Amino acid sequence: RLAETVAVYEGLLAIQPQPLADTYYQLGMAYLTLGRLDEADAVLRTGLDHYPFQRELYLALADTAQAAGDPLAADGWYARLLQQRPDDAYAWGRRGELAMQHGRVQEAVAHLEQATAFAPAAVEYWLSLASAAASDADTARAVVAYERAMALRPDDAGVHLAAAHFFAHTGQTIQARAAYERVLMNVFQILNYLR
């Protein structure tokens, strides 16, 4: 029912003397979902002009730029958000992912290290950092990141399997064996639970 959502928020923009930040955000996201990217960009930018400290507007503009196939613009929106909120782990993580997608591995590592510093319990940032470090041939940093991810999710077979593949690929047979054994132990626990 996105068409109805658009109509409601367009109506609110027309009648509110000072539209709320959420009005701009919701309308922008509805346009984005419908693929009306120019309209999404325009309304979100207008919202940001009125509410320059609204985090969600920066993130929505980054999503819009990504949908338009402009990763540099998306990165720019994350960078602008980080000027206001330097401790925003999500923005650092997204910058790291964008850098990795475009082969800027060292930049990705730097951004993902910031993400892990500001959200040390977020496993996804540690796994992304491990992958970026491995791509940069920084085995020591990748090991630390995988170990941290495994410690945070001791029962997550996927985390241990990713680490096991890395350890095996880099000739660290003892660590690889331990990680594979943990995967098998998790699988056996699941099978026993299902019986």
Side-chain angles (χ1 to χ4, degrees):
R1 303 175 61 168
L2 284 170
E4 292 176 29
T5 301
V6 166
V8 167
Y9 283 105
E10 285 178 341
L12 285 173
L13 277 184
I15 64 171
Q16 288 178 335
Q18 178 156 358
L20 300 173
D22 190 59
T23 303
Y24 292 106
Y25 173 76
Q26 294 295 343
L27 181 56
M29 292 306 291
Y31 285 146
L32 174 59
T33 304
L34 290 168
R36 295 163 61 177
L37 302 182
D38 290 341
E39 291 166 287
D41 185 75
V43 76
L44 291 165
R45 284 175 185 265
T46 301
L48 198 61
D49 288 342
H50 293 292
Y51 298 97
F53 300 105
Q54 281 296 109
R55 175 180 185 267
E56 292 75 16
L57 294 171
Y58 288 95
L59 298 179
L61 280 159
D63 289 344
T64 303
Q66 275 281 87
D70 191 347
L72 282 177
D75 186 65
W77 286 115
Y78 293 125
R80 284 182 62 181
L81 174 59
L82 286 166
Q83 289 173 354
Q84 293 180 10
R85 297 173 176 243
D87 61 347
D88 194 306
Y90 179 80
W92 283 117
R94 291 296 296 136
R95 290 194 80 192
E97 290 168 19
L98 285 170
M100 271 300 287
Q101 289 168 11
H102 295 89
R104 301 188 313 271
V105 179
Q106 292 180 343
E107 187 179 324
V109 168
H111 293 327
L112 291 163
E113 282 191 326
Q114 291 291 332
T116 59
F118 292 119
V123 173
E124 62 274 14
Y125 298 145
W126 288 106
L127 289 173
S128 294
L129 175 58
S131 178
S135 296
D136 196 33
D138 189 343
T139 303
R141 183 175 277 136
V143 166
V144 169
Y146 275 122
E147 287 177 346
R148 182 68 178 149
M150 289 188 295
L152 286 167
R153 290 258 184 91
D155 298 323
D156 189 323
V159 170
H160 288 273
L161 191 58
H165 287 322
F166 166 75
F167 291 137
H169 181 72
T170 54
Q172 301 175 72
T173 54
I174 294 171
Q175 294 94 326
R177 182 177 294 116
Y180 280 125
E181 286 173 355
R182 186 67 192 201
V183 171
L184 290 173
M185 189 167 56
N186 289 337
V187 170
F188 288 137
Q189 287 174 344
I190 292 168
L191 290 174
N192 284 335
Y193 176 78
L194 294 174
R195 285 183 182 163

